[in-house]
């Protein structure tokens, strides 16, 4: 087997037995990146030297019997998570040359766990988008079909995992940005509960919605990465002081008597592709065959989630992005004569069209005359969505739905129509608005051979149950074992 094809669990075993070294593994992944990056376009930065240095340290630790949970494992990081000494661009011109002076908490934790940071992945600029087409740096293609988008905004991370250009990756999810690209690229993607994983060092998009989470080749690997990154962090005031469980320990508990909630509203969603619906229905049957019990639930306010999200997220973004003024860091247009002109020109040159659109929508929604009509209303809707989930979880343990309404669409198909693009998030946004965890797992393929994902949502801080259901499903199916063929 080619080393780059290993998943994290397999690689850990081989490293521990000293059957392979981390340097060999890291080199294999770097070679793979060399071979396919031109086609896939997953990386903004490949940190070859520092990755090999970290791999050497990992090998030394292994030879001294000093093995941590991820020692020697090459991982990719979405390029909005700060990495000390390694460029963190947010796929934006405004941060194109920004080198963070510190590591995000999740990076510190991954390094403590022995992982190797292989590089930084492409994304929609400032994580605003659903296709990675809003990157100001480069284009990422779906490894299953190079004419398709990989999903977004963590499209680089998802494509890198799917194309074996890393063993696993981190992404961020504000409205679906881990789950939707995972689904389009046929990998596993988990958005933890808001507050479960520290956001310290994550460049802020919408602070009440953002969460960091893993993208992996299977569910077991997702549990391994969650073990490494979850937990309280005093540097993030929204991180919750709770012990994290060992996410690997209850994966294979069975599903007997387990209640899976099916929201009627979701499956009746306009624009839901029949092959996606069929794959999700099959997945439900598979879980029922394993002893789970189907319960009908209702999430009546789901229909307002897109509207509420696209007020709340831009409002928070417009405030968060005010810091990019050309003064402290990032791009500055030095050819202007006044401070005002410098601000204006820096921000016009530094931000792409979608980011500018969000700043304008957000600023408008926050302005004194319109606050109540937009932000006020949107937060009322948010409360109703939270109540919907609370009520639904009284009768079920998890809720199942599609991840995205269609398989990966064509590059360019939706770029001229932001509203259609926003509708790609219809199934994923609610979990962010409610703060609950959600995981995407492969559950089928379209007739064109594109991956389809199943979303499993759970109660606050109940990632363990999500992982358990996802693991059981994965054990009963083969979808995660298929690999995209190159050239696609
Ligand atoms: N597609 C959504 C947006 O553009 C969600 C993005 C995300 O989760 N970062 O806002």
């Amino acid at each position: 087997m080619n080393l780059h094809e290993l998943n994290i669990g397999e690689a850990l075993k081989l490293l521990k037995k000293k059957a392979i070294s981390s340097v060999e593994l890291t080199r294999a992944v770097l070679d793979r990146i060399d071979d396919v990056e031109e086609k896939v376009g997953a990386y903004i930065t490949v940190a070859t030297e520092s990755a090999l240095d970290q791999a050497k340290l990992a090998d030394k630790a292994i030879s001294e019997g000093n093995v941590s949970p991820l020692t020697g494992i090459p991982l990719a990081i979405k390029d909005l998570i700060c990495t000390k000494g390694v460029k963190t661009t947010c796929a934006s011109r405004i941060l194109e040359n920004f080198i963070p002076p510190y590591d995000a908490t999740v990076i510190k934790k991954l390094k403590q766990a022995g992982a190797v940071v292989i590089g930084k992945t492409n994304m929609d600029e400032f994580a605003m988008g659903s296709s990675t087409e809003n990157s100001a740096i480069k284009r990422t293609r779906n490894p299953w079909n190079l004419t398709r988008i990989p999903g977004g905004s963590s499209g680089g991370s998802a494509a890198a995992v799917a194309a074996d250009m890393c063993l696993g990756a981190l992404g961020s999810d504000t409205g679906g940005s881990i789950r939707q690209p995972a689904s389009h690229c046929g990998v596993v993607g988990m958005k933890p509960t808001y507050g479960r994983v520290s956001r310290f060092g994550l460049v802020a998009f919408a602070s009440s919605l953002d969460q960091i989470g893993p993208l992996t080749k299977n569910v077991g690997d997702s549990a391994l990465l969650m073990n490494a990154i979850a937990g309280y962090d005093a540097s993030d005031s929204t991180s919750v002081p709770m012990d994290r469980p060992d996410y690997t320990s209850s994966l294979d508990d069975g599903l007997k008597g387990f209640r899976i909630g099916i929201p009627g509203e979701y499956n009746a969603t306009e624009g839901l592709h029949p092959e996606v619906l069929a794959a999700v229905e099959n997945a439900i049957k598979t879980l029922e065959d394993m002893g789970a019990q189907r319960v009908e639930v209702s999430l009546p306010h789901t229909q307002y989630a897109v509207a509420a999200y696209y007020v709340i997220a831009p409002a928070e973004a417009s405030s968060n992005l005010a810091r990019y003024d050309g003064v402290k860091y990032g791009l500055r247009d030095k050819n202007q004569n006044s401070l005002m002109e410098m601000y204006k020109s820096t921000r016009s040159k530094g931000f792409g069209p979608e980011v500018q659109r969000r700043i304008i929508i957000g600023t408008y929604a926050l302005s004194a005359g319109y606050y109540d009509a937009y932000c006020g209303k949107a937060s009322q809707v948010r409360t109703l969505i939270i109540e919907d989930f609370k009520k639904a979880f009284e009768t079920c343990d998890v809720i199942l739905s599609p991840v995205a309404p269609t398989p990966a669409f064509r590059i360019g198909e939706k770029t001229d129509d932001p509203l259609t693009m926003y509708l790609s998030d219809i199934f994923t946004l609610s979990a962010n608005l409610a703060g609950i965890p959600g995981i995407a797992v492969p559950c089928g393929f379209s007739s064109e051979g594109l991956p389809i994902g199943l979303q499993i949502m759970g109660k606050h801080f109940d990632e363990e149950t999500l992982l358990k259901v996802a693991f059981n499903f994965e054990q009963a199916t083969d979808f995660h074992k298929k690999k995209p063929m190159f050239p696609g």
Side-chain angles (χ1 to χ4, degrees), residues 105-159:
T105 298
V106 289
I107 300 297
K108 263 194 217 145
K109 286 186 173 227
L110 286 181
K111 286 184 179 168
Q112 273 160 13
V116 170
V117 173
I118 198 115
K120 305 294 294 287
T121 53
N122 197 24
M123 51 183 280
D124 287 296
E125 184 175 3
F126 283 103
M128 298 173 189
S130 313
S131 66
T132 311
E133 289 165 296
N134 294 333
S135 168
I137 313 279
K138 67 181 341 183
R139 164 154 293 164
T140 302
R141 295 172 185 277
N142 190 317
W144 291 89
N145 181 330
L146 300 175
T147 68
R148 306 292 170 131
I149 55 104
S153 62
S154 313
S157 287

Side-chain angles (χ1 to χ4, degrees), residues 277-294:
L277 180 61
V280 170
E281 284 295 341
N282 272 336
I284 296 169
K285 277 197 207 95
T286 305
L287 290 168
E288 283 184 299
D289 289 345
M290 298 171 80
Q293 183 197 336
R294 179 182 177 131

Side-chain angles (χ1 to χ4, degrees), residues 144-228:
W144 291 89
N145 181 330
L146 300 175
T147 68
R148 306 292 170 131
I149 55 104
S153 62
S154 313
S157 287
V161 174
D164 292 320
M165 302 161 81
C166 61
L167 271 70
L170 290 188
S172 69
D173 191 312
T174 305
S177 278
I178 291 173
R179 290 159 288 158
Q180 187 257 23
S183 166
H184 285 334
C185 290
V187 302
V188 176
M190 158 94 128
K191 179 199 94 74
T193 308
Y194 184 76
R196 181 55 108 180
V197 175
S198 169
R199 293 181 299 112
F200 181 73
L202 167 72
V203 177
F205 163 10
S207 306
S208 77
L209 302 161
D210 300 338
Q211 263 295 284
I212 295 173
L215 292 107
T216 51
K217 298 181 189 182
N218 65 26
V219 178
D221 286 2
S222 185
L224 286 168
L225 289 191
M226 279 297 290
N227 273 358

Side-chain angles (χ1 to χ4, degrees), residues 12 101 116 173 214 352 374 404 407 416 465 474:
L12 283 172
V116 170
D173 191 312
Y374 293 102
D416 293 335
T465 300
E474 193 179 76

Side-chain angles (χ1 to χ4, degrees), residues 7 11-12 31 46 55 65 91 125 132-133 145 163 204 207 232 240 247 251 323-324 342 390 400 439 441 465 483:
N7 62 43
L12 283 172
D31 289 346
V46 181
E125 184 175 3
T132 311
E133 289 165 296
N145 181 330
S207 306
Y232 175 64
V240 175
Y247 292 107
L251 287 178
R323 73 193 67 180
Y324 306 104
M342 188 282 283
K390 261 197 203 141
L400 304 187
I439 189 168
V441 279
T465 300
K483 297 251 183 200

Side-chain angles (χ1 to χ4, degrees), residues 8-29:
I8 299 174
E10 292 165 341
L12 283 172
K13 279 192 203 126
L14 295 174
L15 285 164
K16 217 169 173 180
K17 280 199 291 195
K18 301 196 182 103
I20 59 170
S21 72
S22 176
V23 169
E24 280 168 340
L25 179 61
T26 304
R27 277 196 204 286
V29 172

